[in-house]
Amino acid sequence: MKLGKVEFCHFLQILALFLCLSGMNQAELTRSRSKPYFQSGRTRTKRSWVWNQFFVLEEYMGTDPLYVGKLHSDVDKGDGSIKYILSGEGASSIFIIDENTGDIHATKRLDREEQAYYTLRAQALDRLTNKPVEPESEFVIKIQDINDNEPKFLDGPYTAGVPEMSPVGTSVVQVTATDADDPTYGNSARVVYSILQGQPYFSVEPKTGVIKTALPNMDREAKDQYLLVIQAKDMVGQNGGLSGTTSVTVTLTDVNDNPPRFPRRSYQYNVPESLPVASVVARIKAADADVGPNAEMEYKIVDGDGLGVFKISVDKDTQEGIITIQKELDFEAKTSYTLRIEAANMHVDPRFLSLGPFSDMTTVKIIVEDVDEPPVFTSHLYSMVVSEAAKVGTIIGTVAAHDPDVSNSPVRYSIDRNTDLERYFNIDANSGVITTAKSLDRETNAIHNITVLAMESQNPAQIGRGYVAITILDINDNAPEFAMDYETTVCENAQPGQVIQKISAIDKDDPPNGHQFYFSLTAEAANNHNFTLQDNKDNTATVLTKRNGFRRQEQSVFYLPIFIVDSGSPSLSSTNTLTIRVCDCDADGIAQTCNAEAYILPAGLSTGALIAILACVLTLLVLVLLIVTMRRRKKEPLIFDEERDIRENIVRYDDEGGGEEDTEAFDMAALRNLNIMRDTKTRRDVTPEIQFLSRPTFKSIPDNVIFREFIWERLKEADVDPCAPPYDSLQTYAFEGNGSVAESLSSLDSISSNSDQNYDYLSDWGPRFKRLADMYGTGPDCLYS
């Protein structure tokens, strides 16, 4: 449409007006909606102090501070009397103001993604009075966005799965990219998606980021994993926009689209006939390209002559068919078997039935191989019976075995002696007849389980085993006896006819009709005046009293012989003695004491009297101990104090001396001279200890003769001493020499005289006086314990 001159002028005017309004970020003051402000000495005026929003472009890279805007009050006449100040977020640190002109500059590079806007407060002050000439006003500096951030996939990289053979357009996964730029300003944050890698199998929706399949019938068995690269680009994908990428790994999951198939149409296996039941004969497996539950299958024998001989099961881990034996194989009976086996999937997907039946068939032929088998008994277990009265050599029964092989080798028999350690039985090696080899006792062993070995004559390594259970029949060969050891008591105040004991009997025999026992007193006890016996006819008997007034002082124990007879054929009997004790009983007939020691006490002694007697005995014992203690204390002065001890002390030095050349110690010639003078002993009838302690009477002869005499006497006494050790020993003698003419004044010599001196207290002086206590005390006769 063409414009006239007038319309064109109007258009230019409107355009100029629009440009002026858009330049208001230079922030000229408006005169609307301002609160009234009062200054002293002036009339009330209405001023405007409301600011438009300032805009600052982010990421400014210039060297000079970036001009933001200008603050101005209509009070300012331009003479420098007004001062402008700035406070709030970023004041002084990011934003500065010229206090004279009101110009605002940004001193740092700003990032909208860190902070989108700043709120500041402006104020105009009188420079002289420093008082505000305008009310404080708040304004916003908004950071204007530029496209400086690329889209990012915060959740990447992605993994996803989709079933194989999925139709085109099947959703796989959704990817999302975020852009930190301002979504409300321009196209900086508007993202579109595209696929860089993964065609032609997959596609992505540009706006939503949903990845879908792009090809039909993708087969997992051909390729099961794909790597996709997805791009997100801002500025709606236009040139100059920023982009980011992520990877998506897509895995095709399995579906049952492959039927099982046997690799071969027939199989053949050789099996020895000796293979035991439940043994594995063969393993077969049908191939299935699927995995997991889609590859699970079951096997079954559908036909063949081995249906009852073999069975097949599936191994859950390997999906193999395991063929096992159900019955024993016998080459002589059948040499081969044929089986028709089917394998079928357990989980069939109806969508793929058109691919064919999900099952397959194969043939398995099993060849039975001949082996040399051990002899086989005609019965697995033989049961035989024999009486325990059977004589040695009695025939019990016969076992039979044969060689199952075609050769039919002769068989020899023997008994496994590990099952017949006592060798009670023998077997004929050729006929298999079992006989007794010893006398049998049912009460010792009622059943004998033995193993019979059958050995091939041509191949002794082939041994068959048969089992024989021999039951021993009972005869009456054990006499009855008491069922237990009875502890029978009778009260002193028992009345005639009082029951004191009920007895029963046992018999090791086992008669077919059960036991029947008969009780009676023996002939010598039948006429006793104390007790009687009553047979209860139920295998028990009762013992009763015949009189009263039993007294422990007269007789404390009675012995009652009881005659017991069984009902066997022939019957056996035994005599068992019942011990009956007389006891003191309370009013309820309960025995209190049966001790024989109580009989020596006078009849009728009360408990108080017994306690008094015991107290007297204890008092006497205490008095005796006191007297002995005081007597020993009187003898204590015989012991010298350490300070007054004038006895000679023997000091022993571990000095070996100079040997035979050392002549300073003593004269060795005195020990080698055999010409010694000694008196003949007049007494040899005293004990060795007394002889040891007796002081011999020496003649007045030289010292060396006395020394030799002393050595010979001690040597002879040691030889004849019955208490001396029977081995060589070192004896040390402390020889003091001749001594005084008045002889010893020590009281220790009084042992040879008729002295009443008591030296038992020496044993209380400790181990250092043990030797003296042994010599002079009244203890054991031997010096060597």
Side-chain angles (χ1 to χ4, degrees):
M1 180 179 70
K2 295 183 178 179
L3 296 176
K5 293 183 178 180
V6 176
E7 289 82 2
F8 181 74
C9 291
H10 289 170
F11 174 75
L12 292 177
Q13 291 175 354
I14 293 173
L15 179 62
L17 179 62
F18 175 76
L19 292 174
C20 291
L21 291 177
S22 63
M24 286 299 291
N25 58 341
Q26 299 298 321
E28 290 295 334
L29 206 63
T30 65
R31 297 182 177 271
S32 63
R33 296 191 306 275
S34 177
K35 292 182 180 180
Y37 180 74
F38 294 92
Q39 285 184 330
S40 60
R42 296 185 182 182
T43 60
R44 177 176 179 270
T45 59
K46 183 177 180 183
R47 303 192 183 280
S48 60
W49 189 244
V50 177
W51 303 91
N52 289 332
Q53 182 173 259
F54 291 154
F55 292 91
V56 177
L57 193 66
E58 69 170 335
E59 304 293 344
Y60 172 71
M61 304 298 293
T63 57
D64 298 328
L66 178 64
Y67 181 75
V68 177
K70 183 180 182 65
L71 298 179
H72 183 72
S73 173
D74 57 2
V75 179
D76 189 1
K77 301 302 181 180
D79 55 359
S81 61
I82 302 300
K83 180 176 64 173
Y84 299 94
I85 61 174
L86 195 65
S87 62
E89 293 180 304
S92 299
S93 60
I94 299 176
F95 303 101
I96 59 175
I97 188 170
D98 189 331
E99 63 178 15
N100 296 318
T101 63
D103 293 333
I104 301 173
H105 290 81
T107 61
K108 293 184 179 180
R109 183 171 61 89
L110 301 178
D111 187 357
R112 189 203 66 85
E113 286 71 39
E114 292 182 1
Q115 187 164 343
Y117 62 90
Y118 295 86
T119 302
L120 294 96
R121 293 180 300 278
Q123 198 168 22
L125 302 176
D126 186 281
R127 188 178 296 276
L128 296 177
T129 62
N130 206 29
K131 292 181 178 180
V133 297
E134 296 283 359
E136 187 179 57
S137 179
E138 186 178 90
F139 64 96
V140 174
I141 299 178
K142 187 175 181 181
I143 311 304
Q144 190 172 2
D145 184 49
I146 65 172
N147 189 19
D148 60 341
N149 290 279
E150 73 277 5
K152 294 181 179 179
F153 293 91
L154 300 181
D155 297 329
Y158 296 85
T159 58
V162 64
E164 63 174 332
M165 312 300 289
S166 295
V168 175
T170 302
S171 177
V172 179
V173 68
Q174 183 178 13
V175 296
T176 303
T178 59
D179 195 318
D181 292 324
D182 189 358
T184 63
Y185 180 78
N187 296 324
S188 298
R190 294 183 63 183
V191 177
V192 294
Y193 300 93
S194 61
I195 184 168
L196 301 182
Q197 177 181 323
Q199 300 95 341
Y201 306 102
F202 299 94
S203 64
V204 62
E205 290 188 355
K207 294 183 179 181
T208 62
V210 176
I211 299 174
K212 299 180 179 180
T213 58
L215 280 182
N217 302 326
M218 285 190 291
D219 191 3
R220 184 198 67 84
E221 288 72 34
K223 185 177 182 180
D224 63 346
Q225 198 171 79
Y226 297 84
L227 180 63
L228 281 64
V229 177
I230 305 298
Q231 182 190 64
K233 190 174 183 180
D234 59 12
M235 300 298 293
V236 200
Q238 298 176 2
N239 292 334
L242 303 179
S243 64
T245 60
T246 187
S247 63
V248 181
T249 302
V250 180
T251 302
L252 298 183
T253 59
D254 186 58
V255 298
N256 192 9
D257 58 339
N258 293 278
R261 292 290 180 263
F262 283 106
R264 297 165 55 184
R265 294 294 90 192
S266 64
Y267 298 86
Q268 179 173 317
Y269 299 95
N270 294 342
V271 180
E273 63 172 335
S274 60
L275 204 63
V277 174
S279 298
V280 176
V281 175
R283 287 176 174 263
I284 60 175
K285 183 178 181 180
D288 192 329
D290 297 322
V291 294
N294 297 317
E296 293 180 357
M297 62 188 76
E298 57 183 355
Y299 298 86
K300 60 182 178 179
I301 301 174
V302 297
D303 195 8
D305 55 1
L307 283 173
V309 182
F310 301 94
K311 72 173 183 178
I312 188 169
S313 59
V314 63
D315 187 328
K316 299 295 183 181
D317 297 327
T318 63
Q319 296 300 315
E320 291 178 307
I322 304 173
I323 303 174
T324 56
I325 301 175
Q326 281 188 298
K327 295 181 179 180
E328 292 184 353
L329 303 178
D330 188 359
F331 172 82
E332 288 72 25
K334 190 172 179 61
T335 59
S336 66
Y337 297 89
T338 301
L339 306 174
R340 285 282 292 170
I341 296 178
E342 179 189 56
N345 276 143
M346 297 179 63
H347 310 285
V348 179
D349 193 335
R351 296 178 298 169
F352 306 104
L353 290 177
S354 59
L355 300 177
F358 281 76
S359 63
D360 196 17
M361 301 281 291
T362 190
T363 302
V364 177
K365 187 174 184 180
I366 299 174
I367 306 298
V368 181
E369 297 178 343
D370 186 27
V371 296
D372 190 4
E373 300 175 275
V376 178
F377 284 88
T378 57
S379 176
H380 181 70
L381 177 64
Y382 295 88
S383 297
M384 303 178 183
V385 295
V386 63
S387 173
E388 64 176 324
K391 296 181 180 180
V392 175
T394 301
I395 296 177
I396 302 174
T398 304
V399 297
H402 68 281
D403 183 7
D405 298 319
V406 178
S407 59
N408 195 15
S409 176
V411 175
R412 295 182 61 82
Y413 303 95
S414 63
I415 294 177
D416 185 355
R417 292 305 175 183
N418 291 324
T419 61
D420 184 26
L421 296 174
E422 301 295 331
R423 295 181 176 268
Y424 284 109
F425 308 99
N426 287 330
I427 188 171
D428 187 273
N430 297 316
S431 63
V433 175
I434 300 176
T435 58
T436 59
K438 282 185 178 181
S439 298
L440 304 175
D441 185 8
R442 188 202 66 84
E443 287 71 35
T444 301
N445 194 353
I447 298 177
H448 294 266
N449 294 303
I450 64 173
T451 301
V452 177
L453 307 177
M455 182 186 304
E456 289 185 12
S457 299
Q458 296 179 0
N459 186 4
Q462 295 297 329
I463 300 175
R465 285 173 170 80
Y467 303 97
V468 181
I470 302 175
T471 303
I472 310 302
L473 300 179
D474 185 45
I475 62 172
N476 192 26
D477 58 344
N478 289 277
E481 57 186 13
F482 279 160
M484 58 181 294
D485 293 333
Y486 294 101
E487 296 182 359
T488 307
T489 60
V490 61
C491 295
E492 289 182 313
N493 57 356
Q495 299 298 320
Q498 182 175 337
V499 176
I500 63 172
Q501 185 67 58
K502 186 175 183 181
I503 61 175
S504 60
I506 57 174
D507 193 329
K508 295 180 181 179
D509 294 321
D510 188 18
N513 299 325
H515 289 289
Q516 181 62 48
F517 301 116
Y518 305 96
F519 301 87
S520 63
L521 294 177
T522 59
E524 61 270 16
N527 297 324
N528 77 90
H529 302 288
N530 301 311
F531 306 98
T532 185
L533 183 71
Q534 176 183 329
D535 193 340
N536 299 327
K537 308 301 183 182
D538 60 352
N539 288 343
T540 64
T542 304
V543 179
L544 305 95
T545 58
K546 292 179 65 176
R547 67 179 181 88
N548 58 0
F550 294 93
R551 296 177 64 82
R552 287 177 291 167
Q553 292 83 352
E554 296 177 359
Q555 186 173 352
S556 61
V557 180
F558 292 89
Y559 299 98
L560 187 64
I562 299 176
F563 189 69
I564 308 176
V565 183
D566 64 15
S567 58
S569 179
S571 62
L572 297 178
S573 62
S574 66
T575 300
N576 298 263
T577 302
L578 181 68
T579 301
I580 305 173
R581 296 185 179 277
V582 181
C583 297
D584 180 25
C585 303
D586 58 12
D588 296 329
I590 299 176
Q592 298 296 317
T593 178
C594 303
N595 296 333
E597 290 79 0
Y599 304 154
I600 63 175
L601 297 175
L605 276 179
S606 63
T607 305
L610 293 174
I611 294 175
I613 292 173
L614 291 175
C616 293
V617 172
L618 290 175
T619 303
L620 291 174
L621 289 175
V622 171
L623 289 174
V624 171
L625 290 175
L626 289 175
I627 293 171
V628 172
T629 304
M630 293 179 63
R631 184 176 180 184
R632 289 186 176 180
R633 286 185 178 180
K634 290 180 180 180
K635 296 178 181 180
E636 287 181 0
L638 293 175
I639 305 173
F640 292 101
D641 295 337
E642 292 184 0
E643 297 177 357
R644 299 188 298 140
D645 192 358
I646 59 174
R647 293 176 296 177
E648 295 181 359
N649 294 323
I650 301 176
V651 181
R652 177 180 296 177
Y653 298 93
D654 294 332
D655 186 3
E656 298 182 357
E660 294 183 357
E661 297 180 358
D662 188 359
T663 58
E664 295 183 1
F666 55 86
D667 188 2
M668 294 297 295
L671 295 177
R672 297 171 179 169
N673 190 359
L674 299 180
N675 298 322
I676 59 174
M677 299 175 64
R678 56 186 179 271
D679 292 338
T680 303
K681 291 291 182 180
T682 57
R683 290 189 61 188
R684 302 302 295 175
D685 55 343
V686 294
T687 61
E689 290 81 355
I690 300 302
Q691 294 178 10
F692 181 85
L693 295 174
S694 63
R695 184 182 298 276
T697 304
F698 297 97
K699 297 180 181 180
S700 297
I701 54 178
D703 289 340
N704 56 351
V705 177
I706 295 174
F707 189 77
R708 288 197 300 272
E709 181 74 17
F710 176 80
I711 295 296
W712 274 104
E713 289 297 332
R714 293 300 177 266
L715 180 60
K716 186 174 182 181
E717 288 173 3
D719 290 340
V720 299
D721 188 357
C723 295
Y727 47 80
D728 293 341
S729 63
L730 176 63
Q731 300 192 29
T732 303
Y733 301 103
F735 180 67
E736 296 183 0
N738 248 351
S740 173
V741 178
E743 308 224 347
S744 176
L745 299 179
S746 174
S747 60
L748 297 177
D749 197 31
S750 60
I751 191 65
S752 61
S753 63
N754 296 326
S755 174
D756 59 349
Q757 184 71 28
N758 184 5
Y759 295 99
D760 292 340
Y761 60 85
L762 292 174
S763 59
D764 299 332
W765 290 4
R768 299 180 65 179
F769 295 90
K770 184 177 183 303
R771 176 67 66 182
L772 290 176
D774 292 339
M775 292 190 296
Y776 292 97
T778 59
D781 294 337
C782 294
L783 293 177
Y784 302 95
S785 56

